[in-house]
């Protein structure tokens, strides 16, 4: 078993390198890089992220898009001194060939040196660490609550398959799955955050302004008070699929021969369910935990962060992609890819914990 996990750890290196290389190549073909954006600002025709998305100021957008040409570099910069353009390229590191830039980036990333943001004039690592608590809070608590609700609910639905509880709970699950989390978030704001009816929960941040003046208990309550609505909106939109996955996984196991054999030996239903079925049925559920956590942590909470004014990594990565802030883009990609690869290994360890019969060395 140890040799398997050692191989998995070693495999992280080429996997991470391949993912970074592929995304770096794709980025080279994306129009509107940091050099073009800076030139656009110098020309006074910069277009903000919101305008790019909404389609506002179309003339400015078209002009900015014309900065790149397959035959001519920075067409829109024809009126600028070439030395200024060279200085801009040098400032962003674009005076070097693409392959040199890539290997310099990887060399720095190996020591977790992510450089400085192009447009915030701060170290990327400081920006990421500043946003990390918000995303960790949303991702961790949402994933844990979803699993704590979905697994018992899915098991109980499987045991009572076709009965009244299974039918009406399926209706609730379908409704929860049908409503996007961001729409549910808006509904919660209207109902409980001063939108129209009650004004119980706050709308901004994960802590209050007077956080430092609170005692430990009040800090915990304040933290939970701020995260209640965002997490609730994410849980409602995320528990449905896991509940049905758990139910179907248990149903598959309940109808197998070994369960009938266990019943014929006089075992109680609880012993059969939790002593035999549980560890087999839970394997597929546990295997999906790393993906669920990373998804909620990085992408699933993006709109929720925007709606509730939570300044997390999802919003940071989105803004970096819109503004072509490459250091932040690749730093967040590197961080989440590395975290995801380690989480997959942890998922395998959890599977061996649930079912010790699993031997990955034989695979």
């Amino acid at each position: 078993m140890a040799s398997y996990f050692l191989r998995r750890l070693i495999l992280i290196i080429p996997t991470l390198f391949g993912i970074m290389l592929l995304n770096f190549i794709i980025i080279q073909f994306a129009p509107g890089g940091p050099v073009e954006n800076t030139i656009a600002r110098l020309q006074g025709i910069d277009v903000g992220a919101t305008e790019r998305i909404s389609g506002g100021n179309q003339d400015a957008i078209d002009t900015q898009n014309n900065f790149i040409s397959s035959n001519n570099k920075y067409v829109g910069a024809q009126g600028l001194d070439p030395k200024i353009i060279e200085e801009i390229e040098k400032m962003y590191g674009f005076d070097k060939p693409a392959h040199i830039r890539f290997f310099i980036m990887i060399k720095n990333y190996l020591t977790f040196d992510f450089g400085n943001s192009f447009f915030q004039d701060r170290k990327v690592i400081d920006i990421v660490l500043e946003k990390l608590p918000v995303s960790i809070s949303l991702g961790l608590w949402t994933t844990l609550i979803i699993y704590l609700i979905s697994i018992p609910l899915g098991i109980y639905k499987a045991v009572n398959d076709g009965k009244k509880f299974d039918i009406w709970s399926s209706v609730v699950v379908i409704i929860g799955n049908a409503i996007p989390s961001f729409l549910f978030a808006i509904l919660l704001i209207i109902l409980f955050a001063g939108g129209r009816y009650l004004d119980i929960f706050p709308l901004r941040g994960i802590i209050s302004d007077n956080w430092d003046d609170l005692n430990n208990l009040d800090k915990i309550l304040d933290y939970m008070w701020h995260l209640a609505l965002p997490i609730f909106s994410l849980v409602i939109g995320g528990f449905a699929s896991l509940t049905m996955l758990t139910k179907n996984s248990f149903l598959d196991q309940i109808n197998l021969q070994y369960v009938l054999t266990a019943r014929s030996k006089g075992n109680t239903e609880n012993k059969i369910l939790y002593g035999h079925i549980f560890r087999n049925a839970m394997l597929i559920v546990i295997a999906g935990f790393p993906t669920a956590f990373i998804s909620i942590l990085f992408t699933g909470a993006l709109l929720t962060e925007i709606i509730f004014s939570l300044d997390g990594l999802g919003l940071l990565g989105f803004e970096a992609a819109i503004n072509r802030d490459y250091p932040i883009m690749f730093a967040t990609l590197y961080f989440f890819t590395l975290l995801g690869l380690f989480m997959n290994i942890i998922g395998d360890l959890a599977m061996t914990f649930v079912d010790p019969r699993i031997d990955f060395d034989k695979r």
Side-chain angles (χ1 to χ4, degrees):
M1 184 65 68
S3 62
Y4 167 78
F5 287 106
L6 180 60
R7 292 196 300 270
R8 286 291 301 273
L9 287 172
I10 296 174
L11 190 62
I12 286 178
I13 298 174
T15 304
L16 183 60
F17 181 85
I19 292 173
M20 296 298 295
L21 176 60
L22 179 62
N23 283 273
F24 185 86
I25 293 173
I26 293 173
I27 286 296
Q28 303 310 305
F29 296 98
V35 176
E36 290 82 5
N37 284 353
T38 302
I39 292 173
R41 292 178 181 181
L42 291 175
Q43 300 281 24
I45 53 174
D46 178 44
V47 179
T50 305
E51 288 177 309
R52 292 181 208 174
I53 298 172
S54 63
N57 198 358
Q58 188 61 45
D59 291 338
I61 295 174
D62 293 339
T63 305
Q64 188 175 12
N65 287 338
N66 286 332
F67 276 122
I68 292 184
S69 171
S70 58
N71 301 319
N72 239 325
K73 202 174 182 183
Y74 318 132
V75 173
Q78 291 176 352
L80 291 178
D81 189 334
K83 291 183 179 180
I84 296 178
I85 298 176
E86 290 177 3
E87 287 295 324
I88 295 173
E89 290 179 328
K90 186 176 181 180
M91 180 174 62
Y92 294 126
F94 280 75
D95 56 327
K96 302 179 180 66
H99 66 282
I100 299 297
R101 299 201 310 271
F102 175 75
F103 283 107
I104 291 175
M105 180 184 72
I106 293 297
K107 178 184 176 182
N108 293 334
Y109 281 14
L110 290 176
T111 59
F112 290 93
D113 178 10
F114 299 114
N116 293 329
S117 166
F118 282 164
F119 302 110
Q120 296 192 39
D121 196 26
R122 295 173 57 196
K123 288 185 177 180
V124 171
I125 188 67
D126 293 338
I127 298 174
V128 171
L129 290 177
E130 179 184 302
K131 314 295 184 183
L132 193 58
V134 174
S135 295
I136 289 290
S137 296
L138 287 177
L140 183 60
W141 288 117
T142 300
T143 306
L144 288 177
I145 293 173
I146 285 175
Y147 268 72
L148 288 174
I149 294 175
S150 300
I151 291 175
L153 180 59
I155 294 173
Y156 198 70
K157 283 174 65 64
V159 173
N160 296 276
D161 184 43
K163 297 181 181 179
K164 288 184 178 180
F165 174 83
D166 180 46
I167 294 173
W168 69 258
S169 61
S170 293
V171 174
V172 175
V173 169
I174 291 172
I175 293 175
N177 192 44
I179 302 177
S181 59
F182 70 91
L183 287 181
F184 200 80
I186 295 174
L187 177 63
L188 291 176
I189 290 174
I190 294 173
L191 294 177
F192 303 111
R196 177 170 295 180
Y197 298 98
L198 303 177
D199 190 5
I200 301 174
F201 296 96
L203 262 179
R204 184 178 297 276
I206 60 172
I207 56 174
S208 298
D209 294 334
N210 62 336
W211 167 264
D212 294 330
D213 300 329
L214 303 176
N215 58 45
N216 291 334
L217 178 60
D218 288 338
K219 284 182 177 179
I220 294 174
L221 294 175
D222 182 76
Y223 171 76
M224 296 172 61
W225 180 51
H226 279 78
L227 286 179
L229 294 187
I231 290 177
F232 190 42
S233 66
L234 289 171
V235 168
I236 291 297
F239 85 100
S241 58
L242 183 60
T243 299
M244 299 309 297
L245 175 64
T246 304
K247 175 190 173 182
N248 293 332
S249 180
F250 273 79
L251 283 178
D252 289 340
Q253 296 295 321
I254 286 173
N255 297 320
L256 294 181
Q257 184 63 41
Y258 77 91
V259 176
L260 299 177
T261 303
R263 285 199 182 101
S264 67
K265 292 181 178 180
N267 291 303
T268 63
E269 289 297 321
N270 281 340
K271 185 176 181 180
I272 294 172
L273 182 63
Y274 296 105
H276 299 277
I277 298 175
F278 184 82
R279 62 183 181 184
N280 293 325
M282 283 299 294
L283 294 179
I284 189 172
V285 178
I286 291 174
F289 180 85
T291 302
F293 176 72
I294 295 298
S295 176
I296 294 174
L297 181 67
F298 187 46
T299 58
L302 172 59
L303 290 176
T304 302
E305 288 181 7
I306 296 174
I307 292 171
F308 288 99
S309 299
L310 300 174
D311 196 6
L313 288 176
L315 182 59
L316 175 67
F318 173 75
E319 291 178 341
I322 293 296
N323 295 316
R324 303 297 192 268
D325 199 338
Y326 292 163
I328 292 180
M329 287 175 59
F330 286 110
T332 52
L333 174 65
Y334 182 87
F335 174 78
F336 282 108
T337 302
L338 189 61
L339 179 62
L341 292 172
F342 275 111
M343 288 295 293
N344 285 331
I345 297 177
I346 293 174
D348 287 348
L349 286 172
M351 291 175 68
T352 59
F353 177 78
V354 173
D355 190 352
R357 297 172 300 176
I358 295 177
D359 188 358
F360 286 107
D361 283 331
K362 294 179 179 179
R363 296 176 59 181

